[in-house]
Amino acid sequence: MTKYLITSALPYINGIKHLGNLVGSMLPADVYSRFLRQSGENVLFICATDEHGTPAELAALEKNQDVETFCTEQHEIQKNIYSRFNLSFDQFGRSSSEHNLHLTQHMCKKLMENGFIEERIIKQVYSIDDGRFLPDRYIVGTCPHCGYEAARGDQCENCTRVLDPTDLKNPRSAVSGSDRLEIKDSKHLFLKLPMLEKELEKFIDEHEAEWPIVVTSIARKWLKEGLRERCITRDLKWGIPVPCDGYDGKVFYVWFDAPIEYIGATAEWADKDPETRNYKNWWYDTKDVRYVEFMAKDNIPFHTIMFPATLLGVREPWKKVDYIKGFNWLTFYGGKFSTSQKRGIFTNQALDEFESDYWRYWLMANAPENSDSSFTFDGFASMINKDLNDVLGNFVNRVLKMTASKMGARVPEKFELQDIDKLFIENLSKRISTYTRCLKDLEFRKALVELRAIWTEGNNYLTEAAPWTVIKTDKNRASTILNLAINIIRLYAVLSAPVIPATSEKMMSLLQIEKPDYFWPKEGKLFEELSKLSVGKEFSVPENPLFQKITQDRIDELCEKYGASV
């Protein structure tokens, strides 16, 4: 049986992440992992905080903390937030782990043995006022390609071009703001990407037909421009030490060690139960593992070029990615969410305003798959009110309250199904097949359209079958309709669980199912699926709606609070 290894891009440790970061990697990976588990698949969902590099040092400096203490605190903060969002990681590790240290150093040594790393003396930016070499992200300036004035020394956030610090115009220190910079010699290690270019091109050729356009286009752009040697070491104290003579005070480039932490975090997971778990069963010489990565488009070059190059160059049978799900940007009123510039609504703030399922549903329904998506509070409120409140919540409330008032708070008896019931089940079955296919194909926006349509089918059936009218003349017929409708609530809980798991649990709780069966419905077995609740089984009548409507006053309040354009 195929095993599914799922990883999402590691969130940086330099502060709480915004909604764009969540929907660009971790949340869709969670939805997919949950769906696969419900389908009976063997799934391992891995993530971690990315703790090395300049962002960690700069953020610690801003808080007047040593970087190790800062990272430990921030890891716990982020871990707690993702738990509140119900992200079902099997392991949420840290790139500062001992496993990552040993694996990264091992891979460097193997690359050196195989001739894919060379030592060079390079010209490095030195800050006179700071009294130190400035690694790439410690330098900001104007991008030579697009003119963006706040480009970093490793990559332009605006045009996504990868840069060297010396490429920047009008460079200055990100630490002190000083422009008193000079160039000095510094010894570093370089990964010889040109030597691996043909192998990388073959690797991408093998996957191009399956991978999304946003992924292959970025990978092809790098190859077309011609790969060049990449420096994989930095003049920093915080990071994984370089295991070579003469490299004291130098560590690995964060983008060299961060992807290796996928393996490191899996090893951390295995350590929790060493008698039954072995990380190499997922990563080394595997033929039964399908590996899927989730990330936003700025991470794509490192996962299509840098990380595969490392795994190819070590000449060991490490598992390489089978499918990359890349995302575009989620914008905030047309502008970019930005951790560094504190623009947009951040994950902790989001949870202070509404329960996690409100956000999970909206984000997945508007996932920036083929183009950028824009967040607005008006759009958010409209979708929550219409889809979650008026469609799903309304169906659950109507069915349970009506049944309790007309027949008592127990599952009523089911008699012979009529054509209207059979047609409804047939239509529902088709919708579920489409929904299932969309989730398998990682087409999340299409999947959410189908999920809403599945909910709508229930409301339409209820309206057409009209049990409140039928009961006046045919109690058995009304009983059958409501029996079917209550079973549909259980089915909705199962189908909704990957996207809105907390609400799914609430629906199961209303049905007083102590140990819910969330197994995905099998093709052609829907009649059986809608007969799982025993006649006479008690249920609870909801005291409050599953979702609260968001009023215009609340929208105005949120716009003012978060500086949104009304």
Side-chain angles (χ1 to χ4, degrees):
M1 185 175 73
T2 301
K3 298 187 293 188
Y4 287 84
L5 175 63
I6 314 294
T7 64
S8 60
L10 310 188
Y12 273 129
I13 199 71
N14 64 329
I16 294 169
K17 303 298 105 179
H18 52 70
L19 293 179
N21 186 282
L22 183 69
V23 75
S25 57
M26 292 175 282
L27 181 55
D30 178 67
V31 171
Y32 186 56
S33 297
R34 286 176 176 275
F35 162 69
L36 290 175
R37 291 190 195 110
Q38 286 184 244
S39 301
E41 302 291 356
N42 188 1
V43 176
L44 185 61
F45 180 22
I46 296 293
C47 193
T49 39
D50 182 1
E51 301 188 6
H52 295 142
T54 310
E57 286 203 353
L58 288 177
L61 189 67
E62 188 178 327
K63 287 184 173 287
N64 198 29
Q65 289 181 304
D66 70 87
V67 66
E68 189 169 358
T69 300
F70 171 81
C71 288
T72 299
E73 287 184 1
Q74 291 299 315
H75 172 81
E76 289 303 315
I77 288 170
Q78 290 201 33
K79 184 178 180 181
N80 177 259
I81 290 171
Y82 302 142
S83 175
R84 291 172 63 199
F85 266 105
N86 286 311
L87 301 184
S88 59
F89 302 121
D90 290 291
Q91 177 68 22
F92 186 69
R94 303 179 62 179
S95 67
S96 58
S97 70
E98 284 295 311
H99 283 297
N100 198 35
L101 184 150
H102 294 309
L103 284 162
T104 300
Q105 291 184 341
H106 166 79
M107 291 196 180
C108 174
K109 290 174 183 176
K110 297 303 292 185
L111 289 166
M112 293 181 78
E113 289 174 13
N114 296 330
F116 294 115
I117 286 181
E118 68 179 13
E119 183 178 282
R120 289 186 184 180
I121 304 296
I122 65 171
K123 302 296 183 182
Q124 187 107 3
V125 178
Y126 185 86
S127 171
I128 297 171
D129 292 328
D130 295 324
R132 60 175 294 173
F133 283 106
L134 293 178
D136 43 21
R137 284 200 176 197
Y138 276 55
I139 307 162
V140 293
T142 301
C143 175
H145 303 288
C146 71
Y148 181 58
E149 294 183 355
R152 302 188 309 255
D154 65 335
Q155 186 178 25
C156 176
E157 195 179 44
N158 185 56
C159 70
T160 75
R161 292 287 285 270
V162 174
L163 304 171
D164 283 322
T166 52
D167 294 334
L168 294 172
K169 298 177 181 178
N170 305 315
R172 59 194 180 278
S173 167
V175 180
S176 63
S178 172
D179 61 1
R180 294 210 310 148
L181 310 177
E182 62 182 26
I183 306 298
K184 287 188 175 184
D185 289 344
S186 184
K187 180 170 65 173
H188 286 280
L189 299 180
F190 279 73
L191 179 60
K192 297 160 77 172
L193 288 175
M195 289 182 63
L196 292 159
E197 187 165 347
K198 290 190 182 302
E199 292 177 60
L200 287 166
E201 190 164 8
K202 181 183 177 184
F203 171 69
I204 292 167
D205 285 345
E206 291 170 350
H207 296 88
E208 186 163 22
E210 185 182 8
W211 286 0
I213 293 293
V214 67
V215 174
T216 55
S217 61
I218 291 174
R220 288 292 180 196
K221 181 182 176 185
W222 268 52
L223 290 171
K224 185 178 180 181
E225 291 172 355
L227 299 182
R228 54 180 178 165
E229 291 82 359
R230 293 294 300 174
C231 183
I232 61 168
T233 53
R234 293 293 185 268
D235 287 293
L236 282 172
K237 294 180 180 178
W238 175 244
I240 294 178
V242 180
C244 302
D245 293 338
Y247 278 79
D248 292 343
K250 296 180 191 287
V251 299
F252 283 106
Y253 175 38
V254 63
W255 265 116
F256 182 73
D257 79 78
I260 297 171
E261 168 58 11
Y262 296 137
I263 308 173
T266 308
E268 293 176 60
W269 165 81
D271 277 353
K272 294 177 179 178
D273 188 2
E275 292 187 5
T276 63
R277 299 174 181 175
N278 186 334
Y279 80 95
K280 286 192 172 183
N281 290 340
W282 294 87
W283 280 103
Y284 200 83
D285 196 21
T286 57
K287 294 182 175 62
D288 61 342
V289 174
R290 179 169 172 79
Y291 177 24
V292 183
E293 295 175 343
F294 289 77
M295 70 199 66
K297 61 185 177 184
D298 57 334
N299 290 337
I300 288 171
F302 302 100
H303 288 78
T304 56
I305 303 295
M306 288 283 290
F307 188 36
T310 297
L311 298 181
L312 288 165
V314 296
R315 300 307 191 220
E316 294 176 336
W318 294 100
K319 176 65 183 176
K320 288 170 281 294
V321 67
D322 294 298
Y323 188 86
I324 297 177
K325 179 64 177 180
F327 290 86
N328 290 281
W329 302 125
L330 176 69
T331 65
F332 184 73
Y333 285 80
K336 291 181 72 174
F337 281 84
S338 173
T339 300
S340 59
Q341 298 178 36
K342 298 179 173 62
R343 182 170 58 241
I345 184 165
F346 289 73
T347 48
N348 60 328
Q349 297 168 325
L351 291 169
D352 288 341
E353 303 296 350
F354 300 101
E355 294 177 6
S356 62
D357 280 357
Y358 288 65
W359 300 105
R360 287 178 64 107
Y361 181 78
W362 188 92
L363 289 168
M364 294 312 302
N366 295 274
E369 291 177 295
N370 300 317
S371 61
D372 292 350
S373 299
S374 179
F375 176 88
T376 67
F377 285 112
D378 279 302
F380 173 73
S382 176
M383 183 165 279
I384 297 306
N385 291 345
K386 291 178 181 177
D387 295 5
L388 295 184
N389 189 289
D390 293 348
V391 181
L392 176 61
N394 180 55
F395 181 81
V396 173
N397 280 2
R398 287 171 74 191
V399 169
L400 296 182
K401 287 184 176 180
M402 187 190 318
T403 305
S405 67
K406 302 295 184 182
M407 299 183 173
R410 295 177 181 275
V411 177
E413 194 169 352
K414 180 166 64 176
F415 297 91
E416 186 176 353
L417 296 180
Q418 294 187 1
D419 289 344
I420 185 177
D421 309 320
K422 295 174 183 177
L423 180 61
F424 162 63
I425 294 172
E426 184 181 334
N427 290 338
L428 197 60
S429 181
K430 291 176 182 176
R431 289 285 188 189
I432 293 170
S433 294
T434 304
Y435 176 50
T436 302
R437 186 181 70 249
C438 289
L439 287 175
K440 283 181 179 178
D441 294 344
L442 291 90
E443 294 183 314
F444 294 108
R445 291 184 70 148
K446 290 181 180 179
L448 269 287
V449 168
E450 286 302 319
L451 181 57
R452 186 191 187 281
I454 288 167
W455 297 338
T456 301
E457 289 281 355
N459 279 285
N460 291 343
Y461 167 73
L462 209 61
T463 299
E464 190 173 354
W468 52 87
T469 301
V470 171
I471 196 170
K472 297 173 183 176
T473 57
D474 190 344
K475 191 172 181 179
N476 286 354
R477 175 63 191 146
S479 178
T480 300
I481 296 168
L482 292 172
N483 175 288
L484 191 57
I486 293 174
N487 272 282
I488 289 164
I489 293 175
R490 193 205 68 85
L491 177 65
Y492 284 178
V494 172
L495 297 174
S496 305
V499 183
I500 47 174
T503 304
S504 177
E505 288 183 13
K506 287 180 184 178
M507 287 190 276
M508 289 291 192
S509 178
L510 286 170
L511 298 178
Q512 298 187 17
I513 302 174
E514 293 182 4
K515 294 182 179 180
D517 168 17
Y518 284 101
F519 200 80
W520 206 256
K522 293 181 179 179
E523 189 82 24
K525 298 290 184 179
L526 196 54
F527 279 94
E528 294 89 330
E529 197 74 26
L530 295 174
S531 301
K532 288 203 169 184
L533 296 179
S534 302
V535 171
K537 180 177 180 11
E538 293 184 353
F539 62 80
S540 302
V541 178
E543 296 180 6
N544 299 301
L546 289 178
F547 300 93
Q548 296 293 328
K549 282 208 169 188
I550 305 173
T551 65
Q552 187 59 52
D553 286 346
R554 184 86 164 97
I555 295 169
D556 294 341
E557 174 194 325
L558 291 165
C559 286
E560 183 175 355
K561 185 174 182 179
Y562 294 101
S565 301
V566 182

